[in-house]
Amino acid sequence: MRIGVIGAGIAGSLLAWRLSSQVAVDLITGPPGTDATAASGGGVRGFETHPLQRRLAIDSLTELLGTLHDQATYTETGCTYLLPEYDGLAAAVAEVEHAHPGSTAVLDRTELRHRGWHGLPEGTVGVCEQRAGFIDPDRLRHTVVRRLAAGRTSRVLTGPVLRLLPQPDGSVACRLPGRTELYDAVVVATGSWTPTFLAENQLSDHTKTKAIQIAVYTVAGDLPTMFVDETSDLYGRPTADGRLLLGVDTQRWSVPPGSSAPIPDLVAQTVRIAAERLPHLELSAPDHLVSAADCYADPPVLTLWPVPGGTHRLYTFTGGSGGSVKTALAASRAAASELLATGGTSNSTSRTENKRMTITERGMHQQQRTTPRYHTVGIGAGPSNLSLAALYKNVTSERLALFDSRPGTGWHTPLLYPGVRMQTGWMKDLVSLVDPRHELTFLNYLVTSGRLYALINSQFDSLPRIEYERYLTWATEQLGVVRFGSQVDSISITDEGFEISVDGVPTAVSEHLVLGLGTRAVRPAYLGGLPAERAFIADDLGQRLATLDRTAPTAVVGGGQTGLESVLRLLGAGFTDIRWIGRNQWFRSIDDSPMANELYRPSHIQYLQGLNRGMRRQMIDDSRYSGDAITPGGLRALYQANYDGFLSLGQFPVTLLPGRDVRTSDLLSDGNIRLCCSTTTLPEEHVVRQLIVAAGREHVAAPFDDDLRERIETDDDGQILVESDYSVRWKGMNGHKIFTFNASRYSHGLTNAGLTQLPVRAAIVLNSMFEREIYPISDDVCAVHW
């Protein structure tokens, strides 16, 4: 497959880059002159009022902060988004906060006035984000173009394209100065030139151009955060050299592409509005003025969109507002996945397009939609399925897709505190145990990201969990097979295979299915009826921390690793009265001895398969504290910090209370919370002001429809029966296999849900799926004879 991308702005460049890891791609430069990328202010944030735009912005910001902040020259300023309050605002803000805990808050008009905002209409609120700022989109664009020019499967060709020539077989020829290139699919990402370019080729389009103008001012007075003021159409951000970039929405449509003529009186209008909203600022005359044109669509979402008018494989990739800088990372990944999934056929619509069709032309395009077909579909994009996808890509050309409900990459994101460490060594990554020469090893991640020596010299005993999440984000980016924001609500079996539905719409059909659904936090019954702002699960601690009273008695319930991490975070935030309550008779640390580690070898998994179910369960329960326990270094850190607190306060800030099982709770008349615990002797009561619960996690059930669910075979406890190759036993499989990770504890032992055997599990699945030994699993050099 060969794809041509016309237009080397931020959108086109990123799309070509995403595609280049999978197919041959040419990036064809557009007309010369200043484009929207060069003129863009480069603002990036998570909050947007349009739900699809918001999802893309959140996902893009997550990737930017994870792996691309240096290449894009990310500068954090924070952002204030001023707008009238509306139904659904709280849920929208919660989306941003879920992705970036502790970053987002909503301020009323009084609080905004304290921050320097004046003249705001009644009902105005401000969505304030800490993790927001600006990038240099031109630098990111040039970095990507250089990579494409040096790539093995990519080229950068000098344009512009003189003529598009759709062929009878659906391919498209592009006539360039002195040459003609033929492509299986062509994407037009020419920004403001798109309407004119398509019209010149007798093709229709849904976009239109709009004038943009920004100016940079020297300022006397404290600079605001980056901001968008919907109540006045004013927007701006600080610059890296301490000045202020300002602009006003022009509402001037259908301007010529490449337009750079200044708009009369717009500077005076900008200064006037700024004086009303931010009167403490004193603006100079503009130091620098940029006028350009941008391309917009309705709704303003950057997405792949088939060009109407035939069977040709021709698309546009434009239509977002403001140059789409804030959404281009996620949008380009989604567009590349859609092109690769459909093979470039234009009678298939992406999920973003389905959303757009609810606003325009739904009926016409709905009739054209076909369901993409894959060899394998994975539900969930956690470490287990990422490991499978990584090994899969190197051994077969068959198509695989992973569907994940999260808006973007992340792994236990709400629990990623500074100082939190992994319980698994770095060599046990996605691939190394079965394919150490694979390009997605953790070591290659360190080398390619430039952080190898910094990590080595930091001499960590255990890897920071945040680093592991960034490794997963990097690997996800390289794979390009994950469909984020895809909540799978139904899986059924048809004559064609498994049918996967997202938001009620059939989205994929596959030969085989792999479940990597992971877990979710347990919410015990005693949390019900307690005030949510003071009694919540550990996943919400990052969001709630700033509102808690640091001197009030605070209980953490749960004696596992998450409980310890919650205690450490409270202690680091200055809390002085923490009660750590655990059910077991002591807070157990992991047995990391050589003998304990023998339980995490392929030879032990194989040994377990030969035992009867009762004996296997007993052995696994007996050895659970080799993995289901606390990192020893974490306990040491707690004890040392607790003693430091004792030296400063004259008392220990953390009281450890093992052997207590919280059964019920009461909200007292004074607002305090009473916890009623059973112990080995007499019942106890503990009165606290605040409660964080880390009571473990439970498996997420697969969304099988009723017919498929009835076919799944279960044991006496109602648990899915899992074979030695991680396949699920079910009736009427007819060659279609279901595999499951993280749901076979009592068949495969403690490695079932952990990270230690990720590639081994994935290799066993691949060997079974393709019915041959693709990856040999050898573990013969073992001193232990089970």
Side-chain angles (χ1 to χ4, degrees):
M1 185 176 179
R2 188 170 179 228
I3 296 177
V5 178
I6 304 172
I10 191 69
S13 300
L14 287 173
L15 175 58
W17 177 49
R18 304 286 195 191
L19 291 166
S20 64
S21 64
Q22 300 289 321
V23 295
V25 61
D26 288 348
L27 178 66
I28 306 171
T29 60
T34 301
D35 59 11
T37 298
S40 171
V44 290
R45 59 178 181 270
F47 178 77
E48 290 287 330
T49 55
H50 191 283
L52 294 182
Q53 183 87 328
R54 180 170 62 250
R55 184 179 300 166
L56 292 172
I58 292 170
D59 197 3
S60 293
L61 185 59
T62 300
E63 181 178 0
L64 174 69
L65 297 175
T67 58
L68 292 173
H69 46 87
D70 291 336
Q71 295 94 318
T73 320
Y74 170 70
T75 301
E76 191 161 284
T77 65
C79 179
T80 304
Y81 196 118
L82 306 165
L83 73 167
E85 190 167 13
Y86 66 93
D87 292 340
L89 176 62
V93 172
E95 282 188 55
V96 183
E97 181 64 20
H98 177 75
H100 304 288
S103 173
T104 318
V106 178
L107 306 183
D108 60 23
R109 200 165 65 129
T110 301
E111 293 170 309
L112 291 170
R113 185 178 179 86
H114 291 157
R115 298 196 179 194
W117 289 96
H118 292 257
L120 298 173
E122 287 286 346
T124 300
V125 296
V127 178
C128 296
E129 295 179 64
Q130 178 182 335
R131 307 308 304 272
F134 64 92
I135 65 171
D136 184 340
D138 217 22
R139 178 181 175 185
L140 178 59
R141 181 248 302 266
H142 286 303
T143 299
V144 171
V145 171
R146 284 196 300 271
R147 291 181 182 179
L148 290 167
R152 290 179 298 175
T153 60
S154 57
R155 300 184 299 177
V156 178
L157 304 182
T158 301
V161 173
L162 305 176
R163 181 75 173 166
L164 287 177
L165 301 169
Q167 305 298 300
D169 64 354
S171 61
V172 180
C174 294
R175 184 174 296 163
L176 305 174
R179 65 199 297 181
T180 297
E181 299 286 344
L182 183 65
Y183 299 102
D184 296 294
V186 166
V187 180
V188 178
T190 52
S192 62
W193 293 88
T194 302
T196 300
F197 178 72
L198 292 177
E200 289 174 348
N201 286 275
Q202 289 77 53
L203 296 165
S204 60
D205 185 37
H206 62 282
T207 62
K208 54 184 178 179
T209 59
K210 181 181 180 182
I212 57 173
Q213 181 170 295
I214 55 177
V216 177
Y217 301 82
T218 299
V219 177
D222 294 334
L223 288 172
T225 65
M226 182 176 71
F227 68 87
V228 175
D229 180 10
E230 281 195 1
T231 68
S232 68
D233 289 335
L234 183 71
Y235 58 90
R237 67 162 176 82
T239 65
D241 58 2
R243 295 183 293 173
L244 184 63
L245 181 150
L246 289 175
V248 172
D249 192 357
T250 67
Q251 295 301 320
R252 300 197 178 196
W253 297 95
S254 302
V255 297
S259 173
S260 60
I263 301 173
D265 303 325
L266 193 61
V267 170
Q269 181 186 355
T270 303
V271 172
R272 176 181 56 78
I273 296 175
E276 294 172 357
R277 290 291 189 261
L278 297 164
H280 67 282
L281 295 179
E282 297 179 13
L283 303 181
S284 69
D287 299 331
H288 181 57
L289 182 68
V290 175
S291 297
D294 200 0
C295 194
Y296 286 71
D298 184 18
V301 178
L302 176 62
T303 183
L304 197 68
W305 190 242
V307 174
T311 59
H312 49 70
R313 294 186 284 271
L314 183 61
Y315 304 82
T316 60
F317 185 55
T318 186
S321 61
S324 299
V325 167
K326 57 186 170 293
T327 62
L329 287 170
S332 62
R333 179 171 56 237
S337 296
E338 180 65 19
L339 280 169
L340 295 172
T342 63
T345 55
S346 61
N347 62 346
S348 176
T349 58
S350 70
R351 189 162 178 266
T352 301
E353 291 157 9
N354 285 333
K355 291 294 185 181
R356 178 181 284 170
M357 285 188 292
T358 63
I359 301 174
T360 60
E361 302 182 300
R362 180 185 179 98
M364 178 183 70
H365 291 288
Q366 188 80 7
Q367 295 174 358
Q368 297 178 1
R369 184 181 55 78
T370 60
T371 304
R373 184 169 189 86
Y374 300 89
H375 177 268
T376 303
V377 160
I379 312 301
S384 295
N385 271 349
L386 288 178
S387 177
L388 176 75
L391 297 179
Y392 188 101
K393 72 182 287 288
N394 280 16
V395 298
T396 178
S397 60
E398 297 282 2
R399 294 169 59 199
L400 171 145
L402 304 181
F403 291 84
D404 197 289
S405 62
R406 296 169 298 167
T409 55
W411 181 69
H412 295 320
T413 302
L415 300 175
L416 293 179
Y417 312 144
V420 174
R421 302 290 183 251
M422 294 291 294
Q423 294 178 313
T424 305
W426 66 268
M427 285 186 64
K428 296 179 178 179
D429 57 18
L430 297 176
V431 293
S432 290
L433 292 186
V434 298
D435 189 358
R437 293 171 293 183
H438 198 287
E439 64 270 25
L440 296 185
T441 64
F442 183 78
L443 184 59
N444 192 37
Y445 154 74
L446 291 178
V447 172
T448 56
S449 64
R451 59 185 69 196
L452 173 65
Y453 294 105
L455 184 69
I456 290 175
N457 291 342
S458 298
Q459 298 184 351
F460 286 107
D461 293 329
S462 301
L463 190 70
R465 193 182 293 175
I466 293 176
E467 187 74 271
Y468 186 77
E469 187 201 38
R470 291 185 176 177
Y471 163 62
L472 295 181
T473 298
W474 172 81
T476 302
E477 165 64 29
Q478 306 303 308
L479 289 168
V481 297
V482 182
R483 306 291 190 83
F484 287 111
S486 299
Q487 178 67 58
V488 175
D489 47 30
S490 176
I491 303 173
S492 57
I493 184 66
T494 70
D495 292 340
E496 300 299 318
F498 298 103
E499 184 177 83
I500 314 300
S501 293
V502 174
D503 292 342
V505 178
T507 305
V509 174
S510 70
E511 293 290 321
H512 304 297
L513 179 69
V514 183
L515 304 175
L517 294 165
T519 60
R520 61 188 169 207
V522 172
R523 294 179 179 271
Y526 61 76
L527 267 180
L530 299 180
E533 69 275 8
R534 292 190 287 112
F536 46 84
I537 61 172
D539 294 51
D540 298 334
L541 178 55
Q543 178 181 354
R544 303 283 188 187
L545 185 63
T547 65
L548 299 180
D549 184 348
R550 284 165 168 71
T551 62
T554 303
V556 175
V557 177
Q561 182 71 15
T562 302
L564 170 68
E565 291 163 3
S566 298
V567 171
L568 286 171
R569 187 162 197 197
L570 292 171
L571 192 56
F575 284 70
T576 57
D577 187 356
I578 307 166
R579 291 91 181 277
W580 186 18
I581 301 173
R583 180 186 304 167
N584 293 323
Q585 292 309 303
W586 56 301
F587 294 106
R588 299 175 185 267
S589 59
I590 289 175
D591 182 354
D592 195 30
S593 66
M595 186 66 204
N597 284 323
E598 297 284 357
L599 302 175
Y600 297 86
R601 295 180 58 159
S603 59
H604 188 256
I605 299 174
Q606 185 177 5
Y607 163 71
L608 289 174
Q609 306 308 302
L611 303 178
N612 64 56
R613 187 157 54 97
M615 177 59 68
R616 193 163 55 212
R617 177 182 286 265
Q618 178 183 339
M619 290 192 65
I620 292 168
D621 284 340
D622 287 346
S623 59
R624 65 188 182 277
Y625 293 117
S626 65
D628 293 348
I630 298 169
T631 304
L635 279 175
R636 187 182 309 114
L638 170 63
Y639 267 78
Q640 291 175 355
N642 206 23
Y643 192 82
D644 285 339
F646 170 75
L647 295 176
S648 301
L649 302 172
Q651 63 182 30
F652 288 112
V654 181
T655 302
L656 284 70
L657 299 166
R660 278 86 167 173
D661 187 5
V662 177
R663 296 300 182 91
T664 61
S665 67
D666 299 299
L667 184 62
L668 303 179
S669 59
D670 61 0
N672 286 328
I673 299 168
R674 178 170 56 198
L675 301 176
C676 301
C677 311
S678 62
T679 72
T680 54
T681 55
L682 298 175
E684 283 185 2
E685 295 182 354
H686 295 273
V687 177
V688 296
R689 188 68 182 175
Q690 297 152 161
L691 171 64
I692 297 98
V693 176
R697 306 186 73 83
E698 61 186 3
H699 291 290
V700 177
F704 296 133
D705 70 0
D706 292 341
D707 174 56
L708 185 53
R709 187 179 299 106
E710 290 178 0
R711 300 182 185 214
I712 305 296
E713 296 189 23
T714 58
D715 61 19
D716 295 340
D717 298 321
Q719 301 299 311
I720 293 175
L721 285 174
V722 182
E723 306 286 5
S724 60
D725 61 354
Y726 295 94
S727 64
V728 174
R729 195 182 301 175
W730 65 289
K731 303 179 182 70
M733 57 195 309
N734 194 27
H736 302 298
K737 292 186 177 182
I738 302 173
F739 298 92
T740 182
F741 296 123
N742 312 329
S744 53
R745 181 183 181 92
Y746 289 115
S747 60
H748 290 75
L750 301 171
T751 62
N752 148 74
L755 303 177
T756 59
Q757 293 287 302
L758 285 177
V760 174
R761 299 198 317 247
I764 291 171
V765 167
L766 288 175
N767 290 347
S768 173
M769 184 183 292
F770 290 97
E771 299 181 342
R772 59 187 176 88
E773 190 180 59
I774 297 174
Y775 289 104
I777 307 299
S778 176
D779 187 23
D780 299 328
V781 183
C782 182
V784 180
H785 290 224
W786 299 104

